[in-house]
Amino acid sequence: MAFPATRLRRLRKTGLVRGLVRETELSVSHLVYPMFVVAGGARRAPIPSLPGIDHLSIEGAVDEAGEAQALGIPAVLLFGLPAAKDEQGSGAWDDEGIVQLATRAIKAAYPDLLVIADLCLCEYTSHGHCGVLREDGVVDNDATLELLARTAVSQAEAGADAVAPSDMMDGRVGHLRAALDDQGLSETPLIAYSAKFASAFYGPFREAADSAPQVGDRRGYQMDPANAREAVREAALDEAEGADVVMVKPALPYLDVIRRVRDATALPVAAYNVSGEYAMVKAAAAAGWLDEQAAVLEALTGIRRAGADIVITYHAKDVARWLR
């Protein structure tokens, strides 16, 4: 399925999905920089498990987005930490919610910077799961779809250039596409976390986003790390439902999956170089055990070589400086 030009226009103009001169080249134009925006927080507060990455107020997020754009990074990915949580995660679709407010502020200051809104309920639910829970504690897939759709519409209406569903509910891409189209938001691309594995490498993120499950785990809806063929099937399903970009997460332990997905689709493929991968390199570099710059550039080049067109990484600002 050819991806719609109308929806990817904003992605293309930043260079994020342009044709590439070298298949394995790593350039700043391939990078997306994740940011954590906190309601009512300090302008900038360090995240201990992610050295160099901060919790940001809305004003701090605008500053950080400006730094990213000045370095040539074409896109930022926003995660929000709300002032309050509830069982449904209602802060996710609040039109005055933290991601919505940050999106408006960043787009007002830097209209040419691509703002991608992560779409999930885990940061907003009191129980930490990516959807609403039934009485037996199991995530209710279909009930969650309705809330994700409300969130997607709210984020897009706030000015997000793309929304990125990371929840891994079945059928959510088609549901979100229909909801956006029904609200006149047919040009908003969907960057789908298609193959998101139940990974041990998410630990620092869960601290940063305050999103660890309070009971149980996410293996009921995230993927078994042993299942590469299932990953290709999930990406194909998302493509059929209307995804504009498919994603593999994490990246480094799943380079083979990135390659399999790349070979199976004509869509742009994104890969998320996740928090645990980042934290390991930072810790080893701080101990003097490896050359941080060389290790990061080699790792991200490996992700590109595996077939990723887009690399989401906390290293983005450093990489942009090193590649200058």
Side-chain angles (χ1 to χ4, degrees), residues 111-299:
D112 293 332
L113 181 68
L114 190 75
V115 173
I116 304 168
D118 181 82
L119 173 53
C120 193
L121 302 183
C122 63
E123 296 122 87
Y124 303 90
T125 55
S126 52
H127 47 73
H129 278 282
C130 300
V132 293
L133 299 182
R134 303 185 320 213
E135 288 186 4
D136 60 3
V138 174
V139 170
D140 188 325
N141 188 98
D142 292 353
T144 298
L145 296 183
E146 298 301 321
L147 305 184
L148 294 172
R150 293 174 65 178
T151 303
V153 169
S154 178
Q155 291 175 340
E157 289 181 338
D161 295 291
V163 295
S166 61
D167 55 283
M168 289 299 288
M169 298 297 115
D170 290 339
R172 92 275 205 213
V173 171
H175 202 84
L176 297 176
R177 183 74 272 152
L180 290 166
D181 291 352
D182 287 347
Q183 295 300 314
L185 298 164
S186 59
E187 293 194 7
T188 300
L190 287 171
I191 300 175
Y193 289 65
S194 299
K196 181 178 179 181
F197 289 87
S199 173
F201 289 92
Y202 300 149
F205 174 90
R206 290 177 180 173
E207 175 194 343
D210 188 25
S211 63
Q214 299 302 301
V215 292
D217 57 39
R218 297 188 175 127
R219 294 182 181 275
Y221 44 98
Q222 293 180 356
M223 290 183 53
D224 187 323
N227 292 356
R229 284 177 294 183
E230 183 186 6
V232 176
R233 192 162 62 246
E234 291 282 359
L237 287 169
D238 284 354
E239 180 174 359
E241 290 179 19
D244 299 287
V245 178
V246 293
M247 188 192 303
V248 177
K249 178 183 181 182
L252 291 175
Y254 299 92
L255 295 176
D256 63 313
V257 176
I258 296 170
R259 171 47 58 186
R260 290 192 191 204
V261 171
R262 168 73 286 151
D263 290 343
T265 182
L267 293 182
V269 175
Y272 201 138
N273 178 221
V274 300
S275 60
E277 298 169 72
Y278 172 88
M280 288 192 303
V281 172
K282 283 289 187 181
W289 295 337
L290 52 73
D291 179 322
E292 180 178 354
Q293 178 176 332
V296 170
L297 293 178
E298 181 179 344

Side-chain angles (χ1 to χ4, degrees), residues 2-48:
F3 48 84
T6 53
R7 291 209 294 268
L8 287 187
R9 187 180 302 120
R10 283 179 286 186
L11 303 188
R12 282 204 190 91
K13 76 177 183 180
T14 65
L16 201 57
V17 291
R18 281 191 192 133
L20 303 172
V21 176
R22 297 170 58 206
E23 181 189 357
T24 61
E25 172 192 40
L26 176 68
S27 76
V28 180
S29 66
H30 300 129
L31 304 179
V32 175
Y33 180 48
M35 293 166 44
F36 298 94
V37 191
V38 182
R43 194 179 191 96
R44 188 179 291 269
I47 300 171

